[in-house]
Amino acid sequence: MSAESAPSAGAYIGHHLTHLQNKPMSGVIDFSVFNLDSMFWSLLLGVVGSLLLWKAARNVTSGVPGRFQAAVEILVEMVDNQAKGIVHNAESRKLVSPLALTVFVWIFLLNSMDFLPVDLFHKVFEWTGLDHSIHYFRVVPTADLSSTLGMSTSVLLICVFYNIKIKGIGGWFHELTTAPFGSHPILWPFNFVFQMIEFVAKTVSHGMRLFGNMYAGELIFMLIALMGGAAAMSLTGILLPIGHVIAGSIWAVFHIMIVALQAFIFMMLTLVYIGQAHDAH
């Protein structure tokens, strides 16, 4: 591709940050629009994660475990220890511990899609002739705000479930109207509004934290890719390919920690919020 026909940096980034959708959006918020690429990868990697865990459980042995079984056992023990320290109800942990494990594995796999080359699928679509029908395609579902807010909203619904299950509808309503300012009837509306704000703030921040980190990571990978593109079109830009390799290698190593850390943080906040649903004010 010549320098004249190559897209600008802004056009390149804008193209890679646009989702494959069922229809164009009619406004800033349009709930009839679905990001088909995020849905596809979320479902696919959810199935892959479930199959991996199922395979580990199916092939478990009492003798010396293999590397895969040992890794899964370490992960399960880590998640279970965290759940025991936060959710003290043993009956609830029968569901909460596997839920936390699923959240960690699923988000780790979703985040790991960021390690794929930026232009990989677009090149595949060009080679197969699908680029005429699939012009936009993103592969990191956790860099999609609708995906991360959907996950955090699911956690909110689980918290509501445990609030009602543990405290009863009457007990939870009493907590909503008497905490944190006191049980005087004049304070009931203020307590309720404060509680609703807290629920909304926790849910939004839970999803935004994961989205923000993965979106920034995806953007940096694109900027590094642009360095390589500039190097390919410049005969004198000797430092660009060197910088491209160095920056890409350093960021890839650093991003490995981010991928695992963000999955761990989302899992821990899920446990914390569910644990708070078990506590009475």
Side-chain angles (χ1 to χ4, degrees):
M1 181 179 293
S2 64
E4 290 78 9
S5 61
S8 64
Y12 176 85
I13 292 177
H15 177 268
H16 283 73
L17 291 181
T18 304
H19 287 281
L20 173 65
Q21 298 175 327
N22 60 322
K23 66 175 186 178
M25 295 186 65
S26 58
V28 178
I29 299 177
D30 188 348
F31 291 106
S32 65
V33 176
F34 301 98
N35 293 336
L36 301 178
D37 42 16
S38 295
M39 295 175 63
F40 171 78
W41 287 114
S42 296
L43 291 173
L44 177 62
L45 293 177
V47 172
V48 169
S50 299
L51 290 176
L52 290 175
L53 295 177
W54 173 80
K55 180 181 179 181
R58 182 172 180 268
N59 298 329
V60 65
T61 60
S62 58
V64 179
R67 293 180 179 178
F68 178 66
Q69 179 182 331
V72 173
E73 288 179 353
I74 292 172
L75 179 60
V76 170
E77 184 178 0
M78 181 270 292
V79 173
D80 190 54
N81 288 336
Q82 296 296 335
K84 288 180 180 178
I86 297 174
V87 182
H88 304 296
N89 188 309
E91 185 66 25
S92 296
R93 286 201 305 271
K94 293 180 181 179
L95 174 63
V96 174
S97 294
L99 171 66
L101 176 64
T102 303
V103 166
F104 179 84
V105 172
W106 191 28
I107 294 181
F108 180 82
L109 291 175
L110 296 178
N111 292 350
S112 298
M113 295 299 292
D114 214 5
F115 294 126
L116 295 176
V118 173
D119 294 304
L120 174 62
F121 287 97
H122 293 282
K123 291 298 182 182
V124 171
F125 295 150
E126 288 181 5
W127 296 334
T128 57
L130 295 175
D131 55 320
H132 297 293
S133 55
I134 306 178
H135 188 59
Y136 301 111
F137 195 74
R138 295 182 64 181
V139 297
V140 188
T142 45
D144 178 6
L145 184 58
S146 60
S147 297
T148 57
L149 286 182
M151 296 176 188
S152 61
T153 301
S154 299
V155 174
L156 172 64
L157 296 177
I158 295 172
C159 292
V160 172
F161 167 77
Y162 275 109
N163 269 300
I164 296 175
K165 180 181 179 181
I166 300 298
K167 305 164 188 175
I169 295 179
W172 187 40
F173 182 77
H174 178 267
E175 180 180 288
L176 291 176
T177 54
T178 59
F181 300 123
S183 57
H184 194 283
I186 296 179
L187 298 175
W188 289 0
F190 300 99
N191 288 326
F192 184 80
V193 170
F194 187 86
Q195 291 274 5
M196 292 300 103
I197 293 175
E198 181 181 358
F199 276 114
V200 172
K202 289 193 298 186
T203 302
V204 173
S205 63
H206 197 190
M208 286 289 291
R209 181 181 290 105
L210 176 60
F211 160 74
N213 281 277
M214 297 312 301
Y215 185 88
E218 188 178 25
L219 187 59
I220 291 176
F221 272 125
M222 291 179 192
L223 293 175
I224 294 174
L226 285 171
M227 290 179 61
M233 293 185 296
S234 175
L235 295 176
T236 59
I238 300 177
L239 294 180
L240 275 175
I242 298 176
H244 173 70
V245 173
I246 294 176
S249 301
I250 293 176
W251 181 248
V253 173
F254 180 68
H255 204 61
I256 292 175
M257 296 186 293
I258 294 178
V259 163
L261 182 61
Q262 289 304 314
F264 180 78
I265 291 175
F266 197 95
M267 178 203 73
M268 288 299 298
L269 288 175
T270 299
L271 289 173
V272 168
Y273 294 156
I274 296 176
Q276 290 176 346
H278 286 72
D279 299 332
H281 292 283

